[in-house]
Every structure is written in structure tokens, then in C-alpha cells.
Amino acid sequence: QVIKCKAAVLWEANKPFSIEEVEVAPPKEHEVRIKIVATGICRSDDHVITGALVMPFPIILGHEAAGVVESVGQGVTSVKPGDKVIPLFVPQCGECRSCLNSKGNLCSETDLGSRAGLMPDGTTRFTCKGKAVYHFAGTSTFTEYTVVHESAVAKIDPAAPLEKVCLIGCGFSTGYGAALQTAKVEPGSTCAVFGLGGVGLSVVMGCKVAGASRIIAVDINSDKFAKAKELGATDCINPKDFNKPIHEVLMEMTGGGVDYSFEVIGRTDTMTAALACCHCNFGVSVIVGLPPAAQKITFDPMLLFTGRSWKGSIFGGWKSKDAVPKLVADYMKKTFVLDPLITHTLPWTKINEGFDLLRTGK
């Protein structure tokens, strides 16, 4: 059956979301239709609104969520109606080169490429006012019901609180994994984290769990420092308080640079600053923030020649379908907390207010 429900449709860039009635088609073969219970707002969604991430319109955004399976298409074996699930913006098909490589997690079935905005068969499951509406990141969670491919959904503990574990669908896992999986932070090491939004705070948590002895949090909004300290930051610095480049400040603070640095903002200037602040020979810098479209980085290659490593991390390096149920289990065992990452809970019709809170750093 086609389901009619409400969704937040973005008709064009730089405009607010419009709450519309949409038709959601039934799942086709190897597809799953999900009733979304809770969804987080991520800066990557905002990048589509501003044009920093180019996507086709009209579109239903959202990629960090949790819900309940409503129905499944033919051939679906990993979930059934009634299961609690988290949609995966990085799928795991289990067959492509990345899925088969122990070091890889960026499945070739991801929507972050040529197929932007459509299901794997090249069509959409959403219609609004007679118009086809595009999907986002294979998930589209700003809607009461969505359809995802079976490779893009993970079954989780039925006892998990969906309004909390939805963050494991993106922000928390991305930051936590960047520290544990991508950088592989060791006990006793020093770390610098640029950007203290939800993902940056999750990096701080990952560094702490890994046993880092010093975690320096960097943000131009000092209001974020108290929470960073609560989650494990040992020092907090605001680049605005210094009259020299922030990488020089960090170099001095650490006697030659940190072991690991993380850029969790998505700005090219902070990416190069994060690279420059890690130790010239064995430092590792990880790009976690989504880079803006059509911007290039210019940097001195000597920064790398002396031995530094520059890495990227998508979804924290986790193999999504395998890792998400385990991360939810870890949350249930209280291995980590999610409450401090949740600042506001709104009815989803107030989604535009939610984005305003994100943009003002609240």
C-alpha cells in the first residue's frame, strides 16, 4: 500500500522546510519501509540547504534516525516488520571492494556519488503534489515514513530508547569512531579536537575511552567548553584569544605538536591548521567534518614529507551494518553516554526552529 504521511520537504536551496503531505511507495525487492520515531539534525543536512553539498531538489533530507520497520519488500531477510532499526547513510552490501576489505567501510552502494537522490534502481519512493521527490543519503529521515535498501538498515536492541540511539546513526558514531577506528588513539597520547558540536564532542569521548592523557578542545564558541570538559577534554582553547595562528599555540602547549588532531568542522582553513598542529614526524590528523563543495586546499607539502599522516574518516570508519547494533549494545551497557549530546527535543513540525538552533551554535 502507498502510505500518505507528513514530511519536511525542501523545495529549493536557502529556503525553510515545508511540512507537506507526501506519498511513500511500498518497498520494492530488497527494500524496507520504516516508520521514523526520532531523527537528529546534522550539519550535513544544513550543507544541502546552503548549497555547500550539492543535491537535486525537491528533496527530503535527514540521515540520523531510529524507527520501526513497517513493511519489507521481497527477499528481505535481515529485518522484519516491528523490528527497531537505525537507517544507515553508509550502507554495507557485503560484496564490494570496501565491504570485503577489513580496512574499508565506504560501501560502493552509498548515495554519496553518481546516484545522488535515488534508490539503487534509479527511482524514488516519494511523491508530493504529483512531483517526484529525491531521497538524501539513501535514508531521508525528515518524514514519518521512509524507504531504504536492505543494505542500509541495521536491526538494534528492541529495548533501546530510539530518541537517544538515533544519534548512533551519524553524529556519535562518526566522532567516536574517528578516534577509535580511524586514528586508533593510544593510551597516554595527546589529542586536539577542532570543533565542539555533537560530532566533535563524540571525538572527545572516543579519545578519552582510548586513554588519551591530554585532550585539547578548540572552538571559537567558549560556551561549548563546559560540556567538552564534562566529556573528557583536559584543556579548552579559543583561537580568538590569541594573536598568533592556533597551530603555533598548540605546538607550544604540547612541546612540538599533538599525536592526533581532528578537524570536525568542515572548513579548509581549520583542516590545514589541524594538520600543522600535530607532531611533524609521527602526528596523525583526521578530517571528520564534511568538506565544502568546490573548495580546494593549498598547503606546504613539507608538512607531510617529514612524516605526518593525513587521513579522512567517514561514519567513523565503522562497517555500518555490523557496528551499529554493537554500538547500541555498548550504549545499553553504559559504555558511553548520549544525553549530553542532546540539547533540545522538539516536535518535528518545528524542524526549522531546530535548524536555527544549530546555526546559532545552541
Side-chain angles (χ1 to χ4, degrees), residues 40 48 81 90 99 104 112 131 193-194 249 275 304 312 349-350 354-355 361:
V48 179
V90 173
C99 283
L112 299 164
K131 266 198 173 140
V193 181
F194 287 69
V249 175
L275 178 68
L304 293 179
T349 46
K350 293 197 172 170
F355 274 86

Side-chain angles (χ1 to χ4, degrees), residues 21-25 60 124-133:
E21 182 176 85
V22 297
E23 286 96 49
V24 184
I60 294 172
T124 165
R125 301 290 164 271
F126 299 120
T127 332
C128 181
K129 299 179 177 168
K131 266 198 173 140
V133 177

Side-chain angles (χ1 to χ4, degrees), residues 21-298:
E21 182 176 85
V22 297
E23 286 96 49
V24 184
K28 294 189 185 178
E29 194 173 8
H30 294 297
E31 292 178 359
V32 179
R33 189 159 58 180
I34 304 168
K35 178 179 171 59
I36 299 290
V37 173
T39 184
I41 290 175
C42 175
R43 181 67 78 176
S44 306
D45 301 305
D46 193 46
H47 284 328
V48 179
I49 301 170
T50 62
L53 178 57
V54 179
M55 283 284 161
F57 295 101
I59 192 166
I60 294 172
L61 295 177
H63 63 282
E64 178 181 87
V68 179
V69 174
E70 176 271 335
S71 58
V72 298
Q74 208 180 333
V76 171
T77 54
S78 60
V79 294
K80 62 185 187 305
D83 283 348
K84 282 194 178 178
V85 292
I86 287 179
L88 309 169
F89 74 92
V90 173
Q92 187 183 343
C93 72
E95 291 162 16
C96 69
R97 278 188 69 188
S98 286
C99 283
L100 293 171
N101 187 309
S102 63
K103 295 181 281 200
N105 78 320
L106 185 59
C107 175
S108 65
E109 287 297 307
T110 176
D111 181 15
L112 299 164
S114 56
R115 214 180 45 230
L118 298 168
M119 293 296 284
D121 70 351
T123 62
T124 165
R125 301 290 164 271
F126 299 120
T127 332
C128 181
K129 299 179 177 168
K131 266 198 173 140
V133 177
Y134 288 97
H135 295 247
F136 176 60
T139 48
S140 286
T141 62
F142 294 165
T143 167
E144 291 174 321
Y145 288 88
T146 191
V147 178
V148 304
H149 191 268
E150 185 181 14
S151 63
V153 62
K155 180 181 171 179
I156 60 165
D157 181 344
L162 299 184
E163 72 285 0
K164 309 259 199 275
V165 298
C166 61
L167 298 182
I168 291 172
C170 177
F172 172 76
S173 307
T174 296
Y176 192 67
L180 295 175
Q181 294 270 115
T182 308
K184 297 189 166 50
V185 171
E186 299 113 342
S189 53
T190 56
C191 303
V193 181
F194 287 69
L196 300 174
V199 185
L201 292 170
S202 302
V203 174
V204 170
M205 285 195 254
C207 292
K208 187 182 179 187
V209 163
S213 61
R214 197 166 179 198
I215 303 167
I216 306 167
V218 184
D219 202 299
I220 54 171
N221 178 355
S222 300
D223 295 346
K224 303 203 168 198
F225 292 167
K227 193 165 277 187
K229 287 202 159 147
E230 177 195 327
L231 292 172
T234 54
D235 310 68
C236 293
I237 58 173
N238 187 329
K240 289 179 170 172
D241 295 343
F242 301 91
N243 51 12
K244 60 175 144 192
I246 194 64
H247 72 270
E248 291 179 14
V249 175
L250 286 156
M251 283 284 198
E252 284 169 18
M253 282 175 74
T254 55
V258 295
D259 298 308
Y260 299 97
S261 66
F262 300 86
E263 198 280 355
V264 206
I265 304 162
R267 289 177 59 103
T268 52
D269 55 344
T270 39
M271 287 172 189
T272 40
L275 178 68
C277 84
C278 69
H279 188 275
C280 71
N281 179 224
F282 50 77
V284 176
S285 188
V286 183
I287 292 176
V288 190
L290 182 79
Q295 281 196 21
K296 301 283 181 272
I297 290 185
T298 308

